[in-house]
Amino acid sequence: QGLKRMTLNNSQQDPSRQRQCLAYELFRAAGVIAPRCNWAKVTVNGEYLGVYTHVDSLKKPFIRRNFPDPEGTMWEGTLSDFRDEWMPTFEQKLNEGSDDATRLWAVKEALETASDEALFDALNAHIDMEQFFTFWVMEVLTGHWDGYAGNTNNFYLYERPDDDDR
């Protein structure tokens, strides 16, 4: 099918092996960009290992399929947040040569300095807040354990050149 890489999850924490794909389908139905997902029977060297969840790798092909401008920067947060001690945990995944975390630090600055009344607008200058709220709600509603709301594993941020790098 032209894929150059595969991401297979053993789904050990989900005996049904259904949650991840169902959650991503619900994310997409709510208008949140999410990886494609299906299932694969995995056999290695003749040994059947079971059913795995096959998920889109979050690389350039994913970005080209989902964003009008694929030249933005993508960050992975692994147990990360917008606080001094946690900022270095963000890892740049696309456009590594630019190594410019200015927009991430601007989010942290807005969180620390904006008044309660000005916080939404201060953050909306750097984050599409409507999209973020939809994403957050979907994480909570689906009990999604691999994301930002529960801070249990990792999440991704994409700086969109077509949206003022929000």
Side-chain angles (χ1 to χ4, degrees):
Q1 301 273 335
L3 294 176
K4 293 184 179 176
R5 68 179 72 236
M6 296 177 69
T7 300
L8 297 170
N9 295 333
N10 64 15
S11 300
Q12 290 300 307
Q13 69 275 31
D14 177 17
S16 75
R17 310 270 195 269
Q18 304 295 312
R19 289 179 56 101
Q20 187 171 25
C21 290
L22 291 173
Y24 287 158
E25 185 62 33
L26 289 170
F27 274 60
R28 284 190 298 281
V32 176
I33 293 170
R36 296 177 300 183
C37 184
N38 62 19
W39 298 272
K41 292 180 180 180
V42 176
T43 302
V44 177
N45 296 328
E47 181 182 349
Y48 178 66
L49 299 179
V51 175
Y52 281 62
T53 306
H54 175 215
V55 183
D56 257 339
S57 296
L58 299 184
K59 300 290 184 188
K60 276 287 192 183
F62 174 84
I63 297 299
R64 281 193 291 272
R65 266 194 323 277
N66 289 287
F67 295 98
D69 188 337
E71 299 306 316
T73 301
M74 185 167 64
W75 297 89
E76 180 179 10
T78 303
L79 299 173
S80 302
D81 207 353
F82 296 94
R83 295 184 278 178
D84 280 329
E85 63 275 11
W86 291 19
M87 291 298 289
T89 63
F90 284 99
E91 183 180 353
Q92 194 167 351
K93 292 295 190 174
L94 293 178
N95 297 336
E96 291 94 337
S98 70
D99 194 27
D100 181 9
T102 304
R103 303 297 286 191
L104 295 179
W105 285 92
V107 172
K108 178 190 160 301
E109 179 72 18
L111 286 164
E112 291 176 346
T113 61
S115 67
D116 288 350
E117 297 78 23
L119 185 58
F120 180 89
D121 290 335
L123 288 173
N124 199 47
H126 307 289
I127 298 171
D128 180 340
M129 291 300 292
E130 295 297 329
Q131 183 72 8
F132 174 75
F133 287 142
T134 302
F135 167 75
W136 190 301
V137 165
M138 292 309 299
E139 279 203 332
V140 171
L141 286 176
T142 62
H144 189 62
W145 56 70
D146 193 21
Y148 183 75
N151 200 21
T152 56
N153 198 358
N154 63 334
F155 59 92
Y156 291 84
L157 304 166
Y158 182 65
E159 296 176 13
R160 294 180 61 167
D162 64 305
D163 189 22
D164 294 326
D165 286 330
R166 291 192 311 163

